[in-house]
């Protein structure tokens, strides 16, 4: 992002020797999308993009006029942003990558999109996703699947796979994702990116197509921890339309960037989560485990004290139960909030326009829908008890964070599901950050990620830890795509 801002200040020039303009920058990104997103030279196409903002040029021109008059509009002046296709925008449709919602036009921006625009961001387009965010691979009725640019024959992951693939392929500078269980952590792990799942309530859910309001979190998908911190500074905030952002103990610093310190690992106690509720957090993939072993050594070399193992036997995964219970009711509420092309979830299910696998999941949710029973509220109470159990375990060991792999295998072909650790953060509503941790030994090396997990509202400490690890290791390298120089 620093290069873009330098370009606008005239400190760098374009290929013709002219200062950077917002229109010129957007054209470069759009040309790249046109050249590479459907390209077959590497195997299957990436297919990350669903739509381009039809008003991009007028909005870019307005940013150029504003810059000429008074300088940058905000901290993200003309930064090209790719939105996951479940963020509402007033100027082009939001379809959750479903043919059943083709042309669905909300009346206004999601709260987070409005804040991004106020900070000067240029919303360039929307990226594909697992349909209705309902799977950890990119199955959808629009493109069928999305590939990771590191090996386009492998799935980018779900549900924010389009955003992750697009940012990895440099189709935009910043991306948005959402995470109910894995969706802002597994795709970044598959694409050598940073993903931030914050505490539920830090970021408004207003204007996001819901899967489960209890667990849904919107947030950044970026190439660096610094960019993620800058983006979360803008996206996070109290919203009158989302009561979850009004909880009494909500905590947000003036800027997460202030906590980025390359020496932040000095004296930190990092616990290695080996098992929770009987679930092996690491699995048996040699490449993932080799990356994690090296990561633990790197953390220690940077000054952290490693506490290994951490075992939490009394943990229970209730995340998937809540998704099935909440989806239909919460989707019905969303569809009723504007003149949507479908009346309700049942209308979507019977449309015949949903990917068959996702259709089956929606059918199960219609049968299991329940947001009013005593047992449902007991499950919500259990969730809070589990958060307290995990935090008590961390307190007893004096830990600053836990660490584990977000996913236990590198990217797989579409249809071969990866084993993930999504439920640990999702069940507890506690935050985590995924950063690159290395690559597999495949002929086309595939990215491996590492996940840092912390206490409720403790994103600042996680940013410090993640940044120090990133700076000490510098694992990320860009994918090899047609026409690009060697990574």
């Amino acid at each position: 992002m620093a290069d873009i801002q330098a370009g606008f200040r005239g400190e760098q020039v374009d290929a013709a020797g002219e200062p950077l303009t917002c229109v010129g920058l957007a054209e470069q990104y759009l040309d790249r999308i046109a050249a590479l997103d459907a390209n077959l030279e590497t195997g299957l196409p990436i297919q990350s993009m669903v739509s381009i903002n039809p008003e991009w040029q007028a909005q870019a021109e307005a940013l150029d006029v504003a810059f000429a008059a008074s300088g940058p509009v905000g901290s993200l002046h003309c930064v090209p942003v790719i939105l996951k296709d479940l963020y509402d925008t007033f100027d082009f449709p939001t379809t959750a990558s479903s043919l059943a919602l083709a042309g669905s036009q909300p009346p206004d921006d999601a709260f987070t999109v409005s804040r991004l625009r106020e900070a000067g961001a240029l919303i360039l387009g929307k990226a594909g996703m697992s349909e209705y965010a309902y799977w950890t691979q990119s199955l959808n009725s629009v493109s069928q699947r999305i590939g990771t640019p590191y090996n386009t024959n492998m799935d980018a992951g779900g549900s924010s796979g389009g955003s992750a693939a697009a940012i990895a392929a440099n189709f935009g500078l910043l991306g948005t994702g959402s995470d109910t269980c894995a969706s802002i952590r597994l795709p970044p792990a598959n694409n050598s990116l940073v993903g931030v799942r914050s505490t539920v309530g830090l970021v408004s859910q207003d204007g996001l197509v819901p899967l489960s309001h209890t667990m849904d979190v919107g947030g950044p998908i970026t190439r660096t921890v610094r960019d993620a911190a800058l983006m979360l500074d803008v996206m996070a905030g109290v919203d009158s339309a989302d009561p979850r952002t009004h909880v009494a103990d909500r905590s947000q610093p003036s800027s997460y960037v202030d906590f980025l310190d390359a020496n932040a690992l000095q004296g930190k106690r990092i616990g290695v989560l080996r098992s929770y509720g009987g679930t092996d957090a690491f699995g048996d993939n040699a490449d993932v485990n080799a990356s994690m072993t090296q990561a633990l050594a790197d953390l220690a070399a940077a000054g952290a004290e490693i506490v290994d193992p951490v075992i939490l036997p009394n943990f229970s995964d209730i995340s998937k139960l809540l998704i099935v219970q909440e989806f239909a009711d919460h989707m019905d509420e969303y569809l009723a909030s504007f003149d949507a092309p479908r009346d309700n979830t049942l209308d979507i299910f019977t449309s015949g326009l949903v990917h068959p696998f996702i259709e089956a999941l929606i059918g199960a949710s219609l049968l299991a829908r329940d947001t009013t029973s005593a047992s449902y509220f007991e499950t919500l109470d259990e969730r809070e008890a589990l958060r307290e159990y995990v935090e008590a375990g961390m307190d007893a060991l004096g830990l600053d964070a836990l660490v584990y792999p977000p996913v236990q295998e590198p990217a797989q072909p579409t249809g071969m599901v990866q084993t993930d650790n999504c439920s640990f953060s999702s069940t507890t509503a506690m935050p985590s950050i995924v950063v690159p941790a290395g690559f597999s030994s495949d002929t086309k090396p595939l990215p491996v990620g590492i996940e840092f997990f912390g206490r409720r509202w403790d994103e600042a400490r996680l940013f410090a830890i993640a940044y120090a690890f990133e700076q000490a290791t510098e694992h990320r390298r860009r994918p090899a795509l047609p026409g690009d120089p060697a990574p």
Side-chain angles (χ1 to χ4, degrees), residues 227-294:
D227 284 356
L230 286 164
M231 197 174 185
L232 190 62
D233 280 348
V234 173
M235 294 180 73
V238 176
D239 176 15
S240 61
D242 184 354
R244 299 164 199 82
T245 65
H246 290 263
V247 296
D249 65 341
R250 187 182 189 280
S251 177
Q252 179 184 348
S254 58
S255 175
Y256 292 106
V257 177
D258 294 342
F259 295 87
L260 305 184
D261 177 4
N263 298 312
L265 284 165
Q266 289 284 343
K268 293 291 192 299
R269 284 175 59 85
I270 310 294
V272 183
L273 181 65
R274 294 287 178 179
S275 174
Y276 55 99
T279 297
D280 176 7
F282 276 63
D284 58 7
N285 182 272
D287 288 329
V288 170
N289 279 300
S291 291
M292 289 301 300
T293 297
Q294 183 60 53

Side-chain angles (χ1 to χ4, degrees), residues 44-48 128-131 135-140 143-166 168 183 185-192 355 358 407 409-418 446-447:
L44 296 173
I46 299 171
Q47 299 183 126
S48 64
M129 53 184 278
S130 170
E131 197 162 358
W135 195 238
T136 57
Q137 284 199 317
S138 61
L139 303 174
N140 68 82
S143 66
Q144 300 300 307
R145 51 88 65 183
I146 301 163
T148 171
Y150 289 90
N151 180 347
T152 59
N153 295 310
M154 300 296 176
D155 199 274
S159 65
S160 307
S163 293
S183 301
R185 292 167 287 158
L186 187 156
N190 281 1
N191 291 277
S192 199
H355 188 287
I358 306 299
V407 61
E409 305 91 17
Q412 300 291 304
T414 304
M416 294 180 63
V417 180
Q418 296 170 266
L446 294 165

